[in-house]
Amino acid sequence: MAIITLKGNNINTLGELPVIGTTAPNFNMTKTDLSPSALTNYKGKKVVLNIFPSIDTGTCAQSVRQFNEEAAKLNNTVVLCVSKDLPFAQARFCGAEGINNVEMLSDFREGSFGKSYGLEITNGPLQSLHSRAVVVIDENGQVVYNEQVPEIVDEPNYGAALEALMNA
């Protein structure tokens, strides 16, 4: 269990992020067009998992914008933005913002991603949503970087995630 904060108040996650050097757990989520998506769909590519509670908050939206900008510069890389938002809300946001270099994935159906990645929030006002985290996976499916953002209203360390990605 990770202890994080929401505006200084302790909240907990279900577990810990996948350990660096281990195989990333597979997942099944839903794309904005309601089609299924799994980690196996991205085999052979570098993957950035940008994970957050809801696209409808300023920090979450900024992380999508930031990774969208950076993703355009990277080869053989996909950025997957993951939340429990409905695919309709994710598509609306991307359309309004002109976001086209990331893929939005929703964990609204099964909720298994948050559990298998250890980042489902277990208490407090954001209970059952995902904590803010970044996981970078190399072309072989190995975790090469993880960051559980300690204060959920703060942005992730984009530079560290991108550096790990480039060194993978």
Side-chain angles (χ1 to χ4, degrees):
M1 166 178 64
I3 299 172
I4 57 175
T5 57
L6 172 62
K7 298 182 179 179
N9 298 306
N10 285 351
I11 56 177
N12 303 302
T13 65
L14 186 63
E16 301 287 334
L17 292 175
V19 176
I20 293 171
T22 63
T23 300
N26 194 26
F27 54 74
N28 293 299
M29 289 190 274
T30 306
K31 294 181 179 184
T32 57
D33 66 1
L34 301 180
S35 66
S37 184
L39 181 57
T40 54
N41 296 119
Y42 307 99
K43 186 175 181 168
K45 292 188 177 231
K46 295 178 184 180
V47 176
V48 177
L49 297 173
N50 175 33
I51 308 151
F52 48 86
S54 175
I55 194 62
D56 288 321
T57 68
T59 305
C60 300
Q62 180 55 35
S63 72
V64 173
R65 286 185 205 103
Q66 186 74 30
F67 278 119
N68 180 65
E69 182 180 316
E70 298 296 332
K73 302 173 190 171
L74 304 174
N75 292 323
N76 196 37
T77 301
V78 62
V79 178
L80 306 176
C81 295
V82 179
S83 70
K84 282 194 171 180
D85 290 304
L86 291 176
F88 312 113
Q90 293 174 333
R92 174 192 41 79
F93 172 83
C94 289
E97 294 281 331
I99 303 290
N100 55 14
N101 294 324
V102 301
E103 290 185 39
M104 302 295 282
L105 296 179
S106 177
D107 192 25
F108 85 104
R109 284 196 172 135
E110 294 180 29
S112 60
F113 174 83
K115 290 176 178 57
S116 64
Y117 276 72
L119 48 76
E120 182 176 301
I121 297 172
T122 61
N123 64 317
L126 300 180
Q127 183 174 346
S128 83
L129 296 179
H130 298 151
S131 64
R132 185 174 319 287
V134 176
V135 177
V136 176
I137 304 165
D138 71 12
E139 297 100 325
N140 300 312
Q142 299 298 299
V143 175
V144 296
Y145 175 83
N146 66 25
E147 176 190 9
Q148 173 65 73
V149 179
E151 170 55 59
I152 205 159
V153 300
D154 291 344
E155 292 181 56
N157 186 338
Y158 304 110
L162 293 169
E163 182 178 330
L165 184 63
M166 289 183 258
N167 292 328

PDB file of all heavy atoms in Angstrom, residues 29-46:
ATOM      1  N   MET A  29      -8.681  -2.563 -21.248  1.00  0.00           N
ATOM      2  CA  MET A  29      -9.414  -1.323 -21.025  1.00  0.00           C
ATOM      3  C   MET A  29     -10.185  -0.967 -22.283  1.00  0.00           C
ATOM      4  O   MET A  29     -10.205  -1.728 -23.250  1.00  0.00           O
ATOM      5  CB  MET A  29      -8.450  -0.214 -20.602  1.00  0.00           C
ATOM      6  CG  MET A  29      -7.914  -0.415 -19.191  1.00  0.00           C
ATOM      7  SD  MET A  29      -7.005   0.990 -18.556  1.00  0.00           S
ATOM      8  CE  MET A  29      -5.376   0.657 -19.214  1.00  0.00           C
ATOM      9  N   THR A  30     -10.811   0.196 -22.259  1.00  0.00           N
ATOM     10  CA  THR A  30     -11.677   0.619 -23.355  1.00  0.00           C
ATOM     11  C   THR A  30     -11.159   1.912 -23.966  1.00  0.00           C
ATOM     12  O   THR A  30     -10.885   2.877 -23.244  1.00  0.00           O
ATOM     13  CB  THR A  30     -13.113   0.830 -22.833  1.00  0.00           C
ATOM     14  OG1 THR A  30     -13.542  -0.369 -22.174  1.00  0.00           O
ATOM     15  CG2 THR A  30     -14.073   1.153 -23.956  1.00  0.00           C
ATOM     16  N   LYS A  31     -11.048   1.934 -25.306  1.00  0.00           N
ATOM     17  CA  LYS A  31     -10.646   3.139 -26.030  1.00  0.00           C
ATOM     18  C   LYS A  31     -11.836   4.098 -26.156  1.00  0.00           C
ATOM     19  O   LYS A  31     -12.976   3.721 -25.884  1.00  0.00           O
ATOM     20  CB  LYS A  31     -10.153   2.771 -27.430  1.00  0.00           C
ATOM     21  CG  LYS A  31      -8.880   1.967 -27.466  1.00  0.00           C
ATOM     22  CD  LYS A  31      -8.494   1.696 -28.907  1.00  0.00           C
ATOM     23  CE  LYS A  31      -7.214   0.924 -29.032  1.00  0.00           C
ATOM     24  NZ  LYS A  31      -6.812   0.767 -30.442  1.00  0.00           N
ATOM     25  N   THR A  32     -11.581   5.291 -26.646  1.00  0.00           N
ATOM     26  CA  THR A  32     -12.644   6.283 -26.793  1.00  0.00           C
ATOM     27  C   THR A  32     -13.698   5.882 -27.822  1.00  0.00           C
ATOM     28  O   THR A  32     -14.823   6.356 -27.774  1.00  0.00           O
ATOM     29  CB  THR A  32     -12.080   7.672 -27.157  1.00  0.00           C
ATOM     30  OG1 THR A  32     -11.319   7.566 -28.353  1.00  0.00           O
ATOM     31  CG2 THR A  32     -11.221   8.233 -26.029  1.00  0.00           C
ATOM     32  N   ASP A  33     -13.359   4.974 -28.742  1.00  0.00           N
ATOM     33  CA  ASP A  33     -14.348   4.483 -29.704  1.00  0.00           C
ATOM     34  C   ASP A  33     -15.076   3.241 -29.185  1.00  0.00           C
ATOM     35  O   ASP A  33     -15.786   2.566 -29.923  1.00  0.00           O
ATOM     36  CB  ASP A  33     -13.708   4.210 -31.065  1.00  0.00           C
ATOM     37  CG  ASP A  33     -12.694   3.070 -31.031  1.00  0.00           C
ATOM     38  OD1 ASP A  33     -12.477   2.448 -29.957  1.00  0.00           O
ATOM     39  OD2 ASP A  33     -12.105   2.792 -32.088  1.00  0.00           O
ATOM     40  N   LEU A  34     -14.865   2.919 -27.911  1.00  0.00           N
ATOM     41  CA  LEU A  34     -15.464   1.799 -27.182  1.00  0.00           C
ATOM     42  C   LEU A  34     -14.895   0.437 -27.563  1.00  0.00           C
ATOM     43  O   LEU A  34     -15.383  -0.590 -27.115  1.00  0.00           O
ATOM     44  CB  LEU A  34     -16.995   1.785 -27.316  1.00  0.00           C
ATOM     45  CG  LEU A  34     -17.699   3.047 -26.813  1.00  0.00           C
ATOM     46  CD1 LEU A  34     -19.205   2.917 -27.006  1.00  0.00           C
ATOM     47  CD2 LEU A  34     -17.365   3.317 -25.355  1.00  0.00           C
ATOM     48  N   SER A  35     -13.832   0.415 -28.351  1.00  0.00           N
ATOM     49  CA  SER A  35     -13.179  -0.849 -28.669  1.00  0.00           C
ATOM     50  C   SER A  35     -12.237  -1.236 -27.530  1.00  0.00           C
ATOM     51  O   SER A  35     -11.778  -0.384 -26.773  1.00  0.00           O
ATOM     52  CB  SER A  35     -12.418  -0.751 -29.991  1.00  0.00           C
ATOM     53  OG  SER A  35     -11.345   0.160 -29.880  1.00  0.00           O
ATOM     54  N   PRO A  36     -11.959  -2.536 -27.408  1.00  0.00           N
ATOM     55  CA  PRO A  36     -11.063  -2.979 -26.334  1.00  0.00           C
ATOM     56  C   PRO A  36      -9.599  -2.691 -26.658  1.00  0.00           C
ATOM     57  O   PRO A  36      -9.213  -2.577 -27.818  1.00  0.00           O
ATOM     58  CB  PRO A  36     -11.315  -4.491 -26.275  1.00  0.00           C
ATOM     59  CG  PRO A  36     -11.766  -4.852 -27.650  1.00  0.00           C
ATOM     60  CD  PRO A  36     -12.500  -3.647 -28.179  1.00  0.00           C
ATOM     61  N   SER A  37      -8.810  -2.595 -25.611  1.00  0.00           N
ATOM     62  CA  SER A  37      -7.373  -2.401 -25.757  1.00  0.00           C
ATOM     63  C   SER A  37      -6.667  -3.161 -24.642  1.00  0.00           C
ATOM     64  O   SER A  37      -7.155  -3.216 -23.514  1.00  0.00           O
ATOM     65  CB  SER A  37      -7.010  -0.917 -25.683  1.00  0.00           C
ATOM     66  OG  SER A  37      -5.629  -0.739 -25.912  1.00  0.00           O
ATOM     67  N   ALA A  38      -5.537  -3.736 -24.980  1.00  0.00           N
ATOM     68  CA  ALA A  38      -4.733  -4.475 -24.012  1.00  0.00           C
ATOM     69  C   ALA A  38      -3.271  -4.082 -24.198  1.00  0.00           C
ATOM     70  O   ALA A  38      -2.882  -3.607 -25.268  1.00  0.00           O
ATOM     71  CB  ALA A  38      -4.894  -5.982 -24.223  1.00  0.00           C
ATOM     72  N   LEU A  39      -2.466  -4.275 -23.173  1.00  0.00           N
ATOM     73  CA  LEU A  39      -1.045  -3.968 -23.279  1.00  0.00           C
ATOM     74  C   LEU A  39      -0.419  -4.754 -24.421  1.00  0.00           C
ATOM     75  O   LEU A  39       0.465  -4.250 -25.118  1.00  0.00           O
ATOM     76  CB  LEU A  39      -0.323  -4.257 -21.962  1.00  0.00           C
ATOM     77  CG  LEU A  39       1.166  -3.953 -21.919  1.00  0.00           C
ATOM     78  CD1 LEU A  39       1.451  -2.489 -22.253  1.00  0.00           C
ATOM     79  CD2 LEU A  39       1.746  -4.311 -20.552  1.00  0.00           C
ATOM     80  N   THR A  40      -0.886  -5.961 -24.671  1.00  0.00           N
ATOM     81  CA  THR A  40      -0.333  -6.789 -25.745  1.00  0.00           C
ATOM     82  C   THR A  40      -0.510  -6.135 -27.118  1.00  0.00           C
ATOM     83  O   THR A  40       0.240  -6.455 -28.038  1.00  0.00           O
ATOM     84  CB  THR A  40      -0.966  -8.189 -25.745  1.00  0.00           C
ATOM     85  OG1 THR A  40      -2.390  -8.056 -25.804  1.00  0.00           O
ATOM     86  CG2 THR A  40      -0.575  -8.963 -24.487  1.00  0.00           C
ATOM     87  N   ASN A  41      -1.463  -5.211 -27.263  1.00  0.00           N
ATOM     88  CA  ASN A  41      -1.641  -4.490 -28.530  1.00  0.00           C
ATOM     89  C   ASN A  41      -0.439  -3.608 -28.862  1.00  0.00           C
ATOM     90  O   ASN A  41      -0.297  -3.179 -30.005  1.00  0.00           O
ATOM     91  CB  ASN A  41      -2.894  -3.606 -28.504  1.00  0.00           C
ATOM     92  CG  ASN A  41      -4.160  -4.396 -28.364  1.00  0.00           C
ATOM     93  OD1 ASN A  41      -4.879  -4.215 -27.387  1.00  0.00           O
ATOM     94  ND2 ASN A  41      -4.450  -5.276 -29.302  1.00  0.00           N
ATOM     95  N   TYR A  42       0.390  -3.305 -27.884  1.00  0.00           N
ATOM     96  CA  TYR A  42       1.499  -2.370 -28.064  1.00  0.00           C
ATOM     97  C   TYR A  42       2.850  -3.086 -27.996  1.00  0.00           C
ATOM     98  O   TYR A  42       3.884  -2.445 -27.828  1.00  0.00           O
ATOM     99  CB  TYR A  42       1.405  -1.258 -27.016  1.00  0.00           C
ATOM    100  CG  TYR A  42       0.043  -0.607 -27.020  1.00  0.00           C
ATOM    101  CD1 TYR A  42      -0.928  -0.969 -26.097  1.00  0.00           C
ATOM    102  CD2 TYR A  42      -0.286   0.343 -27.984  1.00  0.00           C
ATOM    103  CE1 TYR A  42      -2.192  -0.399 -26.122  1.00  0.00           C
ATOM    104  CE2 TYR A  42      -1.551   0.920 -28.015  1.00  0.00           C
ATOM    105  CZ  TYR A  42      -2.490   0.537 -27.086  1.00  0.00           C
ATOM    106  OH  TYR A  42      -3.750   1.100 -27.127  1.00  0.00           O
ATOM    107  N   LYS A  43       2.823  -4.406 -28.155  1.00  0.00           N
ATOM    108  CA  LYS A  43       4.057  -5.197 -28.099  1.00  0.00           C
ATOM    109  C   LYS A  43       5.059  -4.661 -29.130  1.00  0.00           C
ATOM    110  O   LYS A  43       4.710  -4.347 -30.261  1.00  0.00           O
ATOM    111  CB  LYS A  43       3.753  -6.659 -28.380  1.00  0.00           C
ATOM    112  CG  LYS A  43       4.940  -7.564 -28.190  1.00  0.00           C
ATOM    113  CD  LYS A  43       4.571  -9.015 -28.371  1.00  0.00           C
ATOM    114  CE  LYS A  43       5.819  -9.864 -28.134  1.00  0.00           C
ATOM    115  NZ  LYS A  43       5.513 -11.256 -28.002  1.00  0.00           N
ATOM    116  N   GLY A  44       6.313  -4.529 -28.713  1.00  0.00           N
ATOM    117  CA  GLY A  44       7.358  -4.024 -29.591  1.00  0.00           C
ATOM    118  C   GLY A  44       7.494  -2.513 -29.574  1.00  0.00           C
ATOM    119  O   GLY A  44       8.374  -1.964 -30.226  1.00  0.00           O
ATOM    120  N   LYS A  45       6.635  -1.832 -28.817  1.00  0.00           N
ATOM    121  CA  LYS A  45       6.716  -0.372 -28.688  1.00  0.00           C
ATOM    122  C   LYS A  45       7.063  -0.007 -27.249  1.00  0.00           C
ATOM    123  O   LYS A  45       6.792  -0.760 -26.324  1.00  0.00           O
ATOM    124  CB  LYS A  45       5.383   0.278 -29.044  1.00  0.00           C
ATOM    125  CG  LYS A  45       5.032   0.164 -30.489  1.00  0.00           C
ATOM    126  CD  LYS A  45       3.797   0.993 -30.789  1.00  0.00           C
ATOM    127  CE  LYS A  45       3.518   0.904 -32.270  1.00  0.00           C
ATOM    128  NZ  LYS A  45       3.340   2.190 -32.870  1.00  0.00           N
ATOM    129  N   LYS A  46       7.643   1.160 -27.095  1.00  0.00           N
ATOM    130  CA  LYS A  46       7.822   1.722 -25.766  1.00  0.00           C
ATOM    131  C   LYS A  46       6.481   2.335 -25.368  1.00  0.00           C
ATOM    132  O   LYS A  46       5.804   2.945 -26.196  1.00  0.00           O
ATOM    133  CB  LYS A  46       8.905   2.796 -25.763  1.00  0.00           C
ATOM    134  CG  LYS A  46      10.286   2.256 -26.088  1.00  0.00           C
ATOM    135  CD  LYS A  46      11.309   3.366 -26.114  1.00  0.00           C
ATOM    136  CE  LYS A  46      12.664   2.844 -26.522  1.00  0.00           C
ATOM    137  NZ  LYS A  46      13.676   3.926 -26.556  1.00  0.00           N
TER     138      LYS A  46
END
